[in-house]
Amino acid sequence: MLDAVLRRGQTLEAAASTVRALPSADRALAVAIAGETLRRLPDLDALIDSATRQRLPDDAKARTVLRLALAQKLGLGTPDHALVATALPLVDGGPRRLVHGVLGTLLRRGLAPSAAPRLPDAVEQRWGTAWGASVLDAARRQIARRPPLDLTFADEAEALAYATTHAGNVLAPRHVRVESSSVTELDGYGGGRWWVQDLAASLPARLIPSEAKDVLDLCAAPGGKTMQLAAAGHKVTALDASKSRLERLSENLQRTHVAADLIQADALVWKPQRPFDAILLDAPCSATGTFRRHPEVLYRARPPIIAENTELQARLLERAAGWLNPGGSLVYSVCSLEPEEGERVVEAFLAANRGFRIAPPAAGELPDFVTSSAEGWVRILPGMLEDQGGLDGFFMVRLVRQR
Ligand SMILES: C[S@@+](CC[C@H](N)C(=O)[O-])C[C@H]1O[C@@H](n2cnc3c(N)ncnc32)[C@H](O)[C@@H]1O
């Protein structure tokens, strides 16, 4: 799995197909070990390097096995004897003495997990430059912690009732935050009254004006925002290029008993037959804002990938802008912490499209803790709402086509 993520750039979810054949408990453990390794990789490597004079290449088997053992120690609290007993057979006939020696040295030191592990160097540099040291520190603290689980409800009264009976925290209307690591064990799972959606991810759809009747959700799958829009009473057309993701969207709509017209198409080619009152463009992106749940994004989002996304985002935004009724709203969002995919895309769009202006969130549209920038867009950064469990990183803006 680590090889698939680090060398081949796969998501951890896709990489997990490698362990498909294992019994489910073993599979879950394997995925958890890989996840913890990715959460703490720079710290694990620094520990390994501090305990041997040999310079182990990144892909050396000894380094990989040591990373896995240390991730279990620091991230999962596995007992030392179990670590050693599972690590050594992996290097039988190979660098067993080296692994045994390094592991023994480190375990004798009495390792404790850092509350703020280092992020990969390239990410530390990018985010330090873009957002400053305190945001970077918050991101380090966040990667060490398991994020809480956020549920979005179709119905506001039901959200309040659920929060009362399940010790949940209502941080916005139709939203409940619960402390749980397992969705499937939550009361009401499969019942269709709520869906899992980080609070930050629920904000862009809240910027679609309630009076907009005919709404296009461009790049819609798997449909968290489609369900929000449909539950809020809009007539929703949901488009996505991916057949499999659109199938998940369709299942999600059925489960939650809300409706939308579904279209499988490439938004760079597709043309609507009518203009819309509002469009939500939740664009494909590096997804670095989701690093708390998907630590591998920190390794996958390399500069060429970010540049590729930026170009696609600009093209999608340009196209969507042509499909609005006069006075219509276009909400652009990305779950990315890279300004190139958020602020810069919108600046370039506005410079080239004089007929659009930013409409900042009005009072009450977003929860009180969310403030917009001087420009009128919303940037969600690590550190926000930290004492309540934090949020995914996000960028969003509402653009209005002038009449
Ligand atoms: C950030 S995800 C959308 C998440 C979704 N809005 C939600 O809330 O569940 C981006 C989506 O864009 C889709 N996509 C990427 N390129 C596309 C294109 N050219 N046309 C249409 N959809 C595209 C991907 O398949 C992916 O589902």
Side-chain angles (χ1 to χ4, degrees), residues 134-152:
S134 68
V135 170
L136 183 57
D137 283 345
R140 288 183 184 165
R141 290 192 296 275
Q142 285 196 332
I143 202 162
R145 295 175 58 190
R146 289 296 167 96
L149 206 55
D150 287 347
L151 312 178
T152 299

mmCIF file of all heavy atoms in Angstrom, residues 134-152:
data_model
loop_
_atom_site.group_PDB
_atom_site.id
_atom_site.type_symbol
_atom_site.label_atom_id
_atom_site.label_comp_id
_atom_site.label_asym_id
_atom_site.label_seq_id
_atom_site.Cartn_x
_atom_site.Cartn_y
_atom_site.Cartn_z
ATOM 1 N N SER A 134 1.923 29.779 12.216
ATOM 2 C CA SER A 134 0.926 29.298 13.185
ATOM 3 C C SER A 134 -0.069 28.344 12.514
ATOM 4 O O SER A 134 -0.520 27.370 13.127
ATOM 5 C CB SER A 134 0.218 30.462 13.885
ATOM 6 O OG SER A 134 -0.587 31.142 12.976
ATOM 7 N N VAL A 135 -0.389 28.588 11.246
ATOM 8 C CA VAL A 135 -1.270 27.662 10.515
ATOM 9 C C VAL A 135 -0.555 26.325 10.302
ATOM 10 O O VAL A 135 -1.139 25.246 10.460
ATOM 11 C CB VAL A 135 -1.728 28.278 9.177
ATOM 12 C CG1 VAL A 135 -2.430 27.241 8.307
ATOM 13 C CG2 VAL A 135 -2.661 29.464 9.428
ATOM 14 N N LEU A 136 0.728 26.412 9.988
ATOM 15 C CA LEU A 136 1.516 25.189 9.795
ATOM 16 C C LEU A 136 1.563 24.380 11.096
ATOM 17 O O LEU A 136 1.381 23.151 11.086
ATOM 18 C CB LEU A 136 2.922 25.577 9.333
ATOM 19 C CG LEU A 136 3.863 24.434 9.007
ATOM 20 C CD1 LEU A 136 3.276 23.529 7.934
ATOM 21 C CD2 LEU A 136 5.206 24.989 8.525
ATOM 22 N N ASP A 137 1.763 25.056 12.220
ATOM 23 C CA ASP A 137 1.762 24.359 13.515
ATOM 24 C C ASP A 137 0.418 23.679 13.758
ATOM 25 O O ASP A 137 0.352 22.550 14.243
ATOM 26 C CB ASP A 137 2.030 25.342 14.665
ATOM 27 C CG ASP A 137 3.511 25.710 14.742
ATOM 28 O OD1 ASP A 137 4.319 25.002 14.116
ATOM 29 O OD2 ASP A 137 3.835 26.708 15.417
ATOM 30 N N ALA A 138 -0.656 24.392 13.422
ATOM 31 C CA ALA A 138 -1.995 23.810 13.621
ATOM 32 C C ALA A 138 -2.175 22.584 12.733
ATOM 33 O O ALA A 138 -2.746 21.571 13.150
ATOM 34 C CB ALA A 138 -3.073 24.856 13.319
ATOM 35 N N ALA A 139 -1.663 22.656 11.501
ATOM 36 C CA ALA A 139 -1.776 21.510 10.592
ATOM 37 C C ALA A 139 -1.017 20.313 11.163
ATOM 38 O O ALA A 139 -1.483 19.176 11.104
ATOM 39 C CB ALA A 139 -1.231 21.881 9.213
ATOM 40 N N ARG A 140 0.145 20.580 11.763
ATOM 41 C CA ARG A 140 0.914 19.483 12.391
ATOM 42 C C ARG A 140 0.117 18.863 13.536
ATOM 43 O O ARG A 140 0.102 17.640 13.694
ATOM 44 C CB ARG A 140 2.238 20.020 12.938
ATOM 45 C CG ARG A 140 3.249 20.364 11.875
ATOM 46 C CD ARG A 140 4.503 20.811 12.599
ATOM 47 N NE ARG A 140 5.532 21.273 11.695
ATOM 48 C CZ ARG A 140 6.580 21.979 12.097
ATOM 49 N NH1 ARG A 140 6.705 22.316 13.376
ATOM 50 N NH2 ARG A 140 7.497 22.358 11.241
ATOM 51 N N ARG A 141 -0.500 19.711 14.340
ATOM 52 C CA ARG A 141 -1.291 19.151 15.456
ATOM 53 C C ARG A 141 -2.462 18.344 14.915
ATOM 54 O O ARG A 141 -2.825 17.305 15.458
ATOM 55 C CB ARG A 141 -1.822 20.275 16.359
ATOM 56 C CG ARG A 141 -0.753 20.979 17.162
ATOM 57 C CD ARG A 141 -1.355 21.869 18.237
ATOM 58 N NE ARG A 141 -2.141 22.980 17.722
ATOM 59 C CZ ARG A 141 -1.646 24.163 17.349
ATOM 60 N NH1 ARG A 141 -0.344 24.393 17.430
ATOM 61 N NH2 ARG A 141 -2.428 25.124 16.909
ATOM 62 N N GLN A 142 -3.041 18.840 13.820
ATOM 63 C CA GLN A 142 -4.235 18.160 13.293
ATOM 64 C C GLN A 142 -3.918 16.801 12.700
ATOM 65 O O GLN A 142 -4.746 15.895 12.769
ATOM 66 C CB GLN A 142 -4.900 19.027 12.230
ATOM 67 C CG GLN A 142 -5.646 20.190 12.852
ATOM 68 C CD GLN A 142 -6.619 20.824 11.900
ATOM 69 O OE1 GLN A 142 -6.432 20.783 10.688
ATOM 70 N NE2 GLN A 142 -7.657 21.425 12.436
ATOM 71 N N ILE A 143 -2.730 16.658 12.121
ATOM 72 C CA ILE A 143 -2.460 15.371 11.478
ATOM 73 C C ILE A 143 -2.232 14.276 12.532
ATOM 74 O O ILE A 143 -2.371 13.091 12.241
ATOM 75 C CB ILE A 143 -1.294 15.458 10.473
ATOM 76 C CG1 ILE A 143 -1.430 14.308 9.474
ATOM 77 C CG2 ILE A 143 0.068 15.426 11.164
ATOM 78 C CD1 ILE A 143 -0.691 14.447 8.218
ATOM 79 N N ALA A 144 -1.940 14.693 13.754
ATOM 80 C CA ALA A 144 -1.725 13.702 14.819
ATOM 81 C C ALA A 144 -3.051 13.209 15.398
ATOM 82 O O ALA A 144 -3.094 12.193 16.074
ATOM 83 C CB ALA A 144 -0.882 14.318 15.934
ATOM 84 N N ARG A 145 -4.120 13.944 15.150
ATOM 85 C CA ARG A 145 -5.402 13.620 15.808
ATOM 86 C C ARG A 145 -6.394 13.030 14.827
ATOM 87 O O ARG A 145 -6.410 13.390 13.661
ATOM 88 C CB ARG A 145 -6.007 14.902 16.400
ATOM 89 C CG ARG A 145 -5.181 15.486 17.512
ATOM 90 C CD ARG A 145 -5.743 16.811 17.974
ATOM 91 N NE ARG A 145 -7.126 16.691 18.432
ATOM 92 C CZ ARG A 145 -7.912 17.731 18.708
ATOM 93 N NH1 ARG A 145 -7.460 18.949 18.552
ATOM 94 N NH2 ARG A 145 -9.135 17.546 19.117
ATOM 95 N N ARG A 146 -7.223 12.139 15.331
ATOM 96 C CA ARG A 146 -8.316 11.629 14.506
ATOM 97 C C ARG A 146 -9.429 12.674 14.475
ATOM 98 O O ARG A 146 -9.885 13.095 15.541
ATOM 99 C CB ARG A 146 -8.866 10.335 15.089
ATOM 100 C CG ARG A 146 -7.927 9.169 14.929
ATOM 101 C CD ARG A 146 -7.753 8.898 13.445
ATOM 102 N NE ARG A 146 -6.641 7.995 13.206
ATOM 103 C CZ ARG A 146 -6.773 6.692 13.050
ATOM 104 N NH1 ARG A 146 -7.949 6.143 13.116
ATOM 105 N NH2 ARG A 146 -5.717 5.950 12.819
ATOM 106 N N PRO A 147 -9.860 13.104 13.288
ATOM 107 C CA PRO A 147 -10.906 14.127 13.260
ATOM 108 C C PRO A 147 -12.248 13.571 13.737
ATOM 109 O O PRO A 147 -12.478 12.368 13.623
ATOM 110 C CB PRO A 147 -10.984 14.518 11.784
ATOM 111 C CG PRO A 147 -10.356 13.412 11.036
ATOM 112 C CD PRO A 147 -9.407 12.709 11.965
ATOM 113 N N PRO A 148 -13.108 14.426 14.274
ATOM 114 C CA PRO A 148 -14.435 13.950 14.653
ATOM 115 C C PRO A 148 -15.249 13.645 13.398
ATOM 116 O O PRO A 148 -14.791 13.884 12.275
ATOM 117 C CB PRO A 148 -15.032 15.132 15.411
ATOM 118 C CG PRO A 148 -14.276 16.318 14.922
ATOM 119 C CD PRO A 148 -12.926 15.850 14.495
ATOM 120 N N LEU A 149 -16.435 13.139 13.601
ATOM 121 C CA LEU A 149 -17.280 12.787 12.463
ATOM 122 C C LEU A 149 -18.405 13.817 12.363
ATOM 123 O O LEU A 149 -19.065 14.107 13.355
ATOM 124 C CB LEU A 149 -17.872 11.400 12.746
ATOM 125 C CG LEU A 149 -18.278 10.551 11.571
ATOM 126 C CD1 LEU A 149 -17.135 10.355 10.605
ATOM 127 C CD2 LEU A 149 -18.740 9.196 12.108
ATOM 128 N N ASP A 150 -18.599 14.365 11.172
ATOM 129 C CA ASP A 150 -19.637 15.368 10.969
ATOM 130 C C ASP A 150 -20.765 14.776 10.151
ATOM 131 O O ASP A 150 -20.531 14.163 9.106
ATOM 132 C CB ASP A 150 -19.071 16.577 10.211
ATOM 133 C CG ASP A 150 -18.161 17.421 11.078
ATOM 134 O OD1 ASP A 150 -18.167 17.227 12.306
ATOM 135 O OD2 ASP A 150 -17.446 18.277 10.529
ATOM 136 N N LEU A 151 -21.984 14.991 10.595
ATOM 137 C CA LEU A 151 -23.159 14.487 9.884
ATOM 138 C C LEU A 151 -23.985 15.670 9.399
ATOM 139 O O LEU A 151 -24.194 16.624 10.149
ATOM 140 C CB LEU A 151 -24.022 13.625 10.811
ATOM 141 C CG LEU A 151 -23.281 12.557 11.629
ATOM 142 C CD1 LEU A 151 -24.263 11.812 12.540
ATOM 143 C CD2 LEU A 151 -22.575 11.575 10.710
ATOM 144 N N THR A 152 -24.428 15.607 8.146
ATOM 145 C CA THR A 152 -25.358 16.615 7.641
ATOM 146 C C THR A 152 -26.742 15.983 7.566
ATOM 147 O O THR A 152 -26.878 14.849 7.090
ATOM 148 C CB THR A 152 -24.950 17.110 6.242
ATOM 149 O OG1 THR A 152 -23.660 17.702 6.334
ATOM 150 C CG2 THR A 152 -25.927 18.157 5.709
#
